């Protein structure tokens, strides 16, 4: 039975596949195979990063690749295990595992279930906009902090130094203190893999660098029998695929993990939606932010039933797929088929992957998160945003990862609140020979009108900035070169106002009346006028003092001046 339009609305990926074009097939197949070659060692490394066996990283790719194909709104996004969600999962479940006899795999599955539920609740509440809480500077700092945490967690694996610390700064400290205990064969494998990865990335951007690196490292270990000299390998991999299991957990642990799941979901969704939007802009198609919540929710819940950990979108794999011509989510199905073939027939090869190589892949991925050029650009563009990014990175590195999420979101909200509370404002004037009215601070040659102050406040009026608005209006009147008779408020940026702002506007009106200044308003939207009318301000200001445009308001002031001073010539700008 064919699905109707109402059913297809929930399955945008399927809708795209039903209108598939044969010309897309070559790009999708090539992208799918190459992305699979890239993700096999990468996801195994992320499995270990999450505190689980490496094979779980591959299991965790299976369900998301299948489900996102049908529920996702991006035709190009590659989903699955990702560095930030993997390490946040490890940080969240480690304390619970240490205090109880619950297994890591069970806790990771429960975390995936809770993250999925958070996504589904957010979808039902239409909360897709929440990803915007992480501003660009905060995201830059947060990702840099995540990158440093990832590196610190792999120092023991890539050097052979026994590191027992669990906090990033302590891990760095133990690493530098124990340099004399390096296991040099392990260090050699790690360095060779890192050099290879950076070299391949520079010369061949679309090549499956991680797969080639880990295969060469495996060959190197086998030829020189380095596993017998202490170089650790993955070891025996269980046969078959993950089995269905309902993730159950004692109720006492649910509150702790739920709080952590919210942080994981916020970061995972931000990473997902930013990547999806970037490629949507590049190729001129639309992304449904709320549909992405649904797709991620279903994918994470599906993962939880197969003992896997939370997932999100992958920027690196999406970039590779796009470079090789991916056009639809068919490329994800091709990747899924390739991974299944590897799990069925090439498990002995996976078992010989050296741990140091997987650790080097994580470090390589971490370096991509630390974008020094972005820090430099922020420092040049706006120092305050540079410091926000730096503080966020330090917060992630120096505190619990989930506290770092809270720091990042809090700083974003504070930054937004500061902009709303102290927005730009302007006194407007004329420039001879130039149309319109202009900010006199930007244009020193601009001329104001004697007796008239034209004031523009470039933000919505609310409780956060109502006092600032009143203060700056009175300051504009106090600093006017001549006594002010009219204050003309350009209300084009003000759509509505809350009770606090309405009361503050009423206070301003009374103070202006005491000073003999008439308040007039131009370019007010009907919604704003209706709200002013409900609180009685239209009556007190006077309906005749509302003007549709600035020129009509200025003309009315000119007539007022002429009626007040009969012997004064027509008003001109001075």
């Amino acid at each position: 039975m064919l699905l109707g339009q109402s059913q297809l609305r929930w399955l945008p990926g399927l809708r795209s596949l039903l209108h598939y074009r044969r010309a897309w097939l070559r790009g999708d197949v090539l992208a799918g195979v190459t992305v699979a070659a890239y993700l096999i060692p990468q996801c195994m490394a992320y499995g270990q990063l999450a505190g689980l066996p490496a094979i779980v990283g591959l299991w965790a790719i299976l369900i998301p690749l299948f489900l996102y194909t049908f529920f996702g709104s991006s035709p190009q996004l590659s989903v699955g295990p990702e560095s930030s969600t993997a390490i946040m999962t490890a940080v969240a479940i480690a304390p619970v595992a240490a205090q109880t006899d619950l297994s890591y795999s069970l806790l990771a599955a429960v975390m995936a279930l809770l993250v999925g539920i958070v996504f589904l609740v957010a979808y039902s509440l239409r909360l897709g906009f929440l990803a915007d809480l992480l501003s660009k500077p905060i995201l830059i700092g947060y990702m840099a902090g995540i990158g440093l945490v990832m590196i610190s967690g792999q120092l023991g694996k890539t050097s052979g130094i026994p590191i027992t610390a669990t906090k990033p700064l302590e891990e760095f400290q133990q690493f530098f203190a124990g340099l004399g205990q390096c296991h040099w064969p392990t260090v050699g494998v790690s360095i060779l893999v890192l050099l290879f990865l950076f070299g391949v990335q520079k010369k061949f951007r679309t090549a499956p660098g991680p797969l080639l690196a880990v295969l060469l490292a495996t060959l190197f270990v086998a030829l020189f029998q380095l596993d017998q000299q202490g170089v650790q390998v993955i070891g025996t991999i269980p046969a078959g695929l993950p089995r269905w299991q309902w993730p159950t957990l004692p109720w006492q642990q649910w509150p702790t993990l739920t709080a952590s799941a919210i942080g994981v979901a916020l970061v995972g969704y931000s990473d997902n939606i930013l990547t999806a939007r970037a490629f949507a802009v590049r190729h001129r198609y639309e992304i449904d932010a709320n549909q992405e919540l649904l797709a991620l929710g279903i994918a994470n819940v599906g993962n939880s039933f197969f003992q896997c950990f939370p997932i999100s979108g992958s920027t690196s794999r999406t970039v590779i797929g796009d470079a090789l011509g991916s056009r639809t989510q068919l490329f994800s199905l091709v990747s899924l088929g390739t991974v299944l073939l590897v799990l069925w027939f090439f498990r002995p090869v996976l078992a010989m992957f050296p741990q140091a190589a997987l650790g080097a892949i994580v470090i390589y991925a971490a370096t991509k998160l630390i974008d020094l050029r972005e820090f430099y650009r922020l420092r040049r563009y706006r120092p305050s945003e540079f410091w926000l990014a730096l503080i966020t990175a330090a917060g992630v590195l120096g505190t619990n990862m989930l506290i770092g999420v809270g720091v990042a979101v809090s700083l974003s909200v504070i930054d937004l609140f500061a902009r709303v509370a102290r927005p730009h404002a302007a006194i407007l004037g004329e420039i001879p020979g130039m149309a319109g009215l202009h900010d006199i601070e930007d244009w020193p040659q601009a001329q104001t009108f004697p007796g008239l102050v034209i004031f523009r406040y470039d933000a919505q009026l609310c409780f956060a900035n109502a006092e600032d608005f009143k203060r700056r209006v009175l300051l504009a009147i106090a600093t006017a070169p001549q006594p002010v008779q009219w204050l003309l408020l350009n209300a084009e940026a003000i759509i509505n106002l809350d009770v606090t702002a309405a009361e503050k506007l009423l206070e301003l009106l009374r103070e202006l009346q005491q000073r003999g200044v008439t308040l007039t308003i131009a370019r007010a939207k009907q919604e704003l006028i209706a709200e002013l009318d409900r609180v009685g301000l239209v009556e007190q200001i006077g309906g005749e003092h509302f003007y549709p445009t600035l020129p009509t308001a200025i003309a009315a002031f000119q007539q007022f001046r002429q009626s007040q001073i009969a012997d004064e010539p027509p008003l001109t700008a001075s």
Side-chain angles (χ1 to χ4, degrees):
M1 183 173 133
L2 294 176
L3 292 173
Q5 290 300 318
S6 60
Q7 287 82 15
L8 288 177
R9 180 169 61 89
W10 306 96
L11 300 166
L14 177 58
R15 186 169 62 241
S16 175
L17 292 177
L18 290 176
H19 297 86
Y20 197 83
R21 298 180 185 177
R22 191 171 182 177
W24 299 341
L25 184 60
R26 182 181 181 278
D28 280 340
V29 171
L30 183 60
V33 173
T34 306
V35 167
Y38 185 90
L39 70 82
I40 288 170
Q42 185 188 56
C43 290
M44 291 178 72
Y46 291 162
Q48 291 191 327
L49 189 62
L52 298 161
I55 191 62
V56 178
L58 281 187
W59 290 348
I61 198 74
L62 303 178
I63 299 300
L65 283 178
F66 178 76
L67 292 176
Y68 187 85
T69 295
F70 302 102
F71 288 94
S73 68
S74 170
Q76 293 184 288
L77 186 70
S78 179
V79 299
E82 193 48 43
S83 55
S84 55
T85 51
I87 193 168
M88 289 179 71
T89 299
V91 170
I93 66 179
V96 179
Q99 296 170 10
T100 67
D101 58 355
L102 300 171
S103 68
Y104 254 79
S105 59
L106 171 62
L107 291 171
V110 171
M111 180 63 74
L113 176 63
L114 290 173
V115 169
I117 292 173
V118 170
F119 280 133
L120 293 176
V121 170
Y123 168 76
S124 66
L125 297 176
R126 312 289 292 177
L127 298 181
F129 68 91
L130 286 179
D132 298 332
L133 286 178
L134 291 178
S135 63
K136 185 66 179 290
I138 300 302
L139 201 58
I140 290 171
Y142 179 77
M143 288 304 177
I146 286 280
L148 291 172
V149 173
M150 288 170 62
I151 291 172
S152 72
Q154 302 304 307
L155 292 176
K157 189 181 299 182
T158 55
S159 66
I161 298 173
I163 295 178
T164 58
T166 57
K167 295 181 179 180
L169 294 178
E170 294 176 359
E171 287 172 335
F172 279 115
Q173 184 180 6
Q174 284 193 9
F175 170 74
F176 288 113
L179 286 176
Q181 304 177 51
C182 281
H183 184 257
W184 293 110
T186 298
V187 173
V189 171
S190 303
I191 291 176
L192 288 174
V193 169
L194 282 171
L195 291 176
F196 181 85
L197 286 171
F198 282 110
V200 168
Q201 171 68 19
K202 187 175 182 180
K203 296 290 185 181
F204 310 100
R205 291 183 178 273
T206 59
L211 179 65
L212 295 175
V214 82
L215 287 177
L216 289 174
T218 302
L219 180 62
F220 186 75
V221 169
L223 285 176
F224 294 96
Q225 297 182 332
L226 295 181
D227 55 325
Q228 298 180 20
Q229 299 180 38
V231 174
Q232 300 295 317
V233 296
I234 295 296
T236 303
I237 291 177
L241 299 176
R243 291 174 296 176
W244 170 280
Q245 180 179 333
W246 180 265
T248 57
L249 188 73
W251 67 269
Q252 298 93 333
Q253 305 300 333
W254 285 93
T256 300
L257 290 184
T258 300
S260 300
I262 293 172
V264 173
L266 178 59
V267 173
Y269 179 66
S270 298
D271 193 24
N272 180 91
I273 201 67
L274 287 172
T275 301
R277 283 176 176 170
F279 285 91
V281 170
R282 180 181 300 179
H283 296 286
R284 298 181 181 179
Y285 55 78
E286 294 295 325
I287 293 297
D288 186 335
N290 283 295
Q291 182 68 27
E292 289 300 295
L293 287 171
L294 176 64
L296 288 176
I298 291 174
N300 276 284
V301 170
N303 248 4
S304 72
F305 296 145
F306 292 93
Q307 306 106 61
C308 296
F309 56 96
I311 58 91
S312 64
S314 169
T315 302
S316 59
R317 298 194 294 270
T318 304
V319 168
I320 291 173
D322 175 64
L324 289 164
S326 66
R327 299 297 298 274
T328 72
Q329 281 296 325
L330 179 65
F331 93 96
S332 290
L333 295 180
V334 173
S335 293
L336 172 60
T338 305
V339 173
L340 287 173
L341 288 174
V342 169
L343 286 172
W344 280 327
F345 299 109
F346 296 100
R347 285 185 298 105
V349 177
L350 299 181
M352 290 302 297
F353 281 5
Q355 299 270 16
L358 296 181
I361 290 173
V362 172
I363 291 176
Y364 171 74
T367 62
K368 303 302 178 183
L369 300 181
I370 305 172
D371 197 335
L372 296 179
R373 287 178 300 179
E374 286 293 329
F375 277 95
Y376 179 72
R377 188 172 69 86
L378 287 177
R379 188 171 181 272
R380 292 189 60 187
Y381 174 69
R382 183 170 289 170
S384 63
E385 294 194 333
F386 165 77
W387 285 107
L388 278 175
L390 209 59
I391 291 170
T392 302
V396 171
L397 186 63
T399 67
N400 178 282
M401 183 73 64
L402 297 170
I403 294 177
V405 177
V407 169
V409 174
S410 299
L411 287 176
S412 290
V413 173
I414 290 171
D415 184 41
L416 173 63
F417 193 78
R419 295 174 188 275
V420 171
R422 297 294 182 269
H424 179 265
I427 298 173
L428 305 180
E430 279 188 329
I431 300 176
M434 183 181 293
L437 297 171
H438 306 274
D439 187 346
I440 62 174
E441 288 190 3
D442 295 338
W443 301 87
Q445 69 270 37
Q447 301 173 355
T448 58
F449 298 96
L452 174 65
V453 170
I454 306 174
F455 183 82
R456 188 186 71 209
Y457 199 66
D458 295 331
Q460 191 73 274
L461 271 184
C462 63
F463 71 94
N465 56 28
E467 184 62 40
D468 176 72
F469 167 76
K470 176 185 174 184
R471 178 183 59 81
R472 290 163 83 171
V473 167
L474 295 177
L475 180 63
I477 292 173
T479 56
Q482 296 186 23
V484 177
Q485 295 176 289
W486 274 28
L487 170 74
L488 174 57
L489 174 62
N490 179 358
E492 61 182 308
I494 306 172
I495 300 174
N496 50 37
L497 66 169
D498 60 19
V499 173
T500 304
E503 290 182 354
K504 195 62 62 175
L505 191 57
L506 182 59
E507 289 179 17
L508 175 64
L509 174 62
R510 290 169 179 166
E511 193 158 343
L512 291 176
Q513 290 172 344
Q514 291 174 2
R515 298 186 183 195
V517 178
T518 300
L519 173 63
T520 59
I521 299 177
R523 303 194 67 181
K525 297 176 176 59
Q526 291 302 313
E527 182 180 351
L528 174 62
I529 294 175
E531 292 196 353
L532 292 174
D533 190 39
R534 282 197 292 271
V535 296
L537 274 166
V538 171
E539 181 180 356
Q540 295 194 46
I541 294 173
E544 71 277 9
H545 289 145
F546 285 80
Y547 300 95
T549 65
L550 292 174
T552 56
I554 294 172
F557 177 70
Q558 291 174 336
Q559 292 177 2
F560 167 77
R561 287 275 291 185
Q562 290 175 6
S563 66
Q564 292 293 311
I565 308 174
D567 59 342
E568 183 174 310
L571 179 68
T572 58
S574 62

